[in-house]
Amino acid sequence: LGKPGQHKYEAITSIIKDFPHRKFVLIGDSGEIDAELYARIYHEFPDQIAKIFIHDVTSERAMHADRQAASRSDSLYNGVRRLVTSSSSNLRRTNTSDQAMEALAQRDIPKEQQIAMDPRVPIKTKLEQFEQRMNRISTGMRHGVFSVFSLSSQLLL
């Protein structure tokens, strides 16, 4: 794991260890290593992970759905973007915030995702690779623990 992935792993596993009798739902996206990281955490704490939701942001279906959602003026995306833009100039940077920003700037992108971002790779190949990646990651998990979604209306507990 790179710096951001290791930080996320340590933070999540620390919380899980602090609450050994609790169940957790892990929510991430397919853009970097959330799926792989959550699979690792699941295999370490299978009795505590109730569900893993991965937002499909890499396949063409998801990119199309995201473009439609972002085009709405009332979308959550636009609201967050406005908030971050307006408040970022007011932030005071400390050593801790510098470290957090540095960790966020570094990206852990799996090889399959790098291929999926290559415009020379046909869409069908990208979708097949995405499906293979998600199937590989979910191997060995209890049925129904791992879910991939492209729209929030598809979320089911």
Side-chain angles (χ1 to χ4, degrees), residues 10-41:
E10 290 170 359
I12 293 170
T13 56
S14 175
I15 293 168
I16 292 171
K17 288 174 187 174
D18 285 346
F19 299 95
H21 303 292
R22 298 282 177 123
K23 302 276 186 195
F24 294 87
V25 174
L26 304 176
I27 303 170
D29 64 54
S30 63
E32 293 184 17
I33 62 162
D34 287 351
E36 288 83 358
L37 182 66
Y38 294 170
R40 178 179 171 188
I41 293 169

Side-chain angles (χ1 to χ4, degrees), residues 13-130:
T13 56
S14 175
I15 293 168
I16 292 171
K17 288 174 187 174
D18 285 346
F19 299 95
H21 303 292
R22 298 282 177 123
K23 302 276 186 195
F24 294 87
V25 174
L26 304 176
I27 303 170
D29 64 54
S30 63
E32 293 184 17
I33 62 162
D34 287 351
E36 288 83 358
L37 182 66
Y38 294 170
R40 178 179 171 188
I41 293 169
Y42 170 84
H43 290 294
E44 289 181 37
F45 304 94
D47 296 331
Q48 287 183 265
I49 305 302
K51 192 78 173 166
I52 298 171
F53 289 112
I54 299 296
H55 182 201
D56 175 6
V57 297
T58 54
S59 74
E60 187 61 27
R61 294 183 312 262
M63 288 186 267
H64 177 69
D66 286 351
R67 279 193 296 270
Q68 284 185 323
S71 68
R72 292 180 34 210
S73 62
D74 63 337
S75 74
L76 176 62
Y77 170 80
N78 286 328
V80 170
R81 194 170 90 198
R82 282 192 303 272
L83 175 66
V84 169
T85 303
S86 67
S87 63
S88 63
S89 61
N90 300 327
L91 294 175
R92 282 180 42 202
R93 297 195 47 155
T94 64
N95 190 29
T96 304
S97 65
D98 286 342
Q99 291 170 355
M101 293 303 288
E102 180 184 325
L104 287 172
Q106 296 179 6
R107 299 180 60 151
D108 287 333
I109 302 176
K111 184 176 179 167
E112 296 103 325
Q113 178 57 20
Q114 292 173 11
I115 292 169
M117 295 184 318
D118 186 340
R120 298 169 296 185
V121 176
I123 299 275
K124 183 176 179 184
T125 303
K126 291 178 183 181
L127 292 173
E128 289 168 349
Q129 288 178 336
F130 175 77

